[in-house]
Amino acid sequence: LHVTHDLAAGLRLPLERAQANYLLNVLRRGPDDPVLLFNGRQGEWRATLAATGRKSADLVVAERTRPQTPLPDLHYLFAPLKSARLDYLAQKAVEMGAGQIRPVITRYTQGERVNVERLRANAVEAAEQCGILAVPEVAEPERLPVALDAIEPERLLVFCDEDAPVSDPVAALRAAAGNGEAPPLGVLVGPEGGFAPEERETIAARPNTVALSLGPRILRADTAAVVVLALVQAVLGDGR
Ligand code: SAM
């Protein structure tokens, strides 16, 4: 369970109503049942539930069970989609090990104004669900050239390009990453309408970028995101 408070042994934490209801009535946790907490800064802590009402409860923090882990060093850049699928994208990015989630506004981006707070809430929920202790950061939307400039030169950017020649993606990733230690990584997935020609030129002009085909079929942007994140993690992720 994600909390915002600083955590320490012996602390008594009143739970927010929705969280208390979730623990008591959805997970049906009872008094003295263990609850694992994290705040994204101090690792994981065990607490016990002290119900104080049918829909209210406190947590009594006991001890730390896992040390804090750093954010994964994988940046996920994507052109926003309609909000329901945006929730999905944010959650899959967290599950697939993204440490930074960076919305990129492109010419054909369809999504209305990006609700960053909603994306951040999705990142917290996904972190709770997949058991990670660092909550991936969601950046404010940036236009494509600004987003590309914000990436460190040494970060290998894997650009999902449905027009790239269909080749062996594993070999292409390995060749781009070079031998030895994998470089810091970023992935870039376009909008439903794809990238505009001038955007493709901007992307291609960035050194340390590999245009990667994900096969001969045109994937939906949210499908492409999961595919490329899984590939990058499997080939270059060394267990990240
Ligand atoms: N240009 C496509 C078209 O005309 O239908 C639309 C783009 S596709 C729906 C959305 C994004 O997913 C693309 O910008 C690209 O980043 C990624 N993508 C989809 N299929 C892909 C493939 N086979 N290989 C690499 N990337 C792909």
Side-chain angles (χ1 to χ4, degrees):
L1 193 69
H2 183 263
V3 295
T4 52
H5 305 269
D6 286 340
L7 294 168
L11 191 66
R12 192 174 180 101
L13 278 185
L15 271 175
E16 289 167 23
R17 192 173 172 78
Q19 287 185 317
N21 181 52
Y22 175 66
L23 284 175
L24 293 171
N25 303 318
V26 175
L27 297 187
R28 309 191 69 71
R29 289 281 193 280
D32 300 331
D33 277 351
V35 177
L36 294 176
L37 304 179
F38 73 108
N39 59 14
R41 304 182 296 279
Q42 294 174 275
E44 178 189 78
W45 292 69
R46 186 177 63 77
T48 51
L49 192 57
T52 54
R54 211 172 63 75
K55 284 195 174 182
S56 60
D58 290 353
L59 285 172
V60 180
V61 180
E63 82 264 334
R64 199 169 74 155
T65 47
R66 274 195 293 164
Q68 183 57 35
T69 47
L71 267 181
D73 184 20
L74 170 59
H75 291 191
Y76 168 61
L77 288 80
F78 67 101
L81 306 172
K82 294 251 175 279
S83 60
R85 288 178 45 218
L86 213 43
D87 297 346
Y88 173 87
L89 272 185
Q91 290 171 11
K92 298 314 141 196
V94 172
E95 290 170 58
M96 296 306 294
Q100 290 219 359
I101 296 173
R102 311 186 68 84
V104 176
I105 306 303
T106 69
R107 180 133 72 94
Y108 302 143
T109 294
Q110 287 175 350
E112 58 277 7
R113 204 185 62 73
V114 178
N115 184 335
V116 177
E117 283 319 306
R118 183 179 169 129
L119 285 180
R120 286 176 178 148
N122 273 293
V124 168
E125 195 179 313
E128 285 178 326
Q129 179 272 325
C130 61
I132 58 174
L133 300 179
V135 179
E137 297 161 1
V138 178
E140 292 295 329
E142 294 165 320
R143 305 211 61 77
L144 180 66
V146 174
L148 293 179
D149 284 348
I151 305 172
E152 319 90 302
E154 66 276 12
R155 188 172 295 276
L156 172 63
L157 181 66
V158 178
F159 160 43
C160 293
D161 182 1
E162 67 277 18
D163 296 341
V166 177
S167 68
D168 172 356
V170 172
L173 282 175
R174 286 218 171 102
N179 302 321
E181 175 80 3
L185 297 168
V187 300
L188 172 62
V189 179
E192 286 309 347
F195 286 105
E198 75 277 7
E199 292 172 335
R200 287 177 164 280
E201 285 168 27
T202 306
I203 298 165
R206 182 188 178 273
N208 209 11
T209 296
V210 55
L212 190 72
S213 166
L214 299 177
R217 290 169 296 282
I218 299 286
L219 309 178
R220 282 169 62 129
D222 41 356
T223 310
V226 177
V227 170
V228 68
L229 286 167
L231 260 177
V232 160
Q233 291 288 30
V235 177
L236 303 175
D238 55 35
R240 284 179 202 162

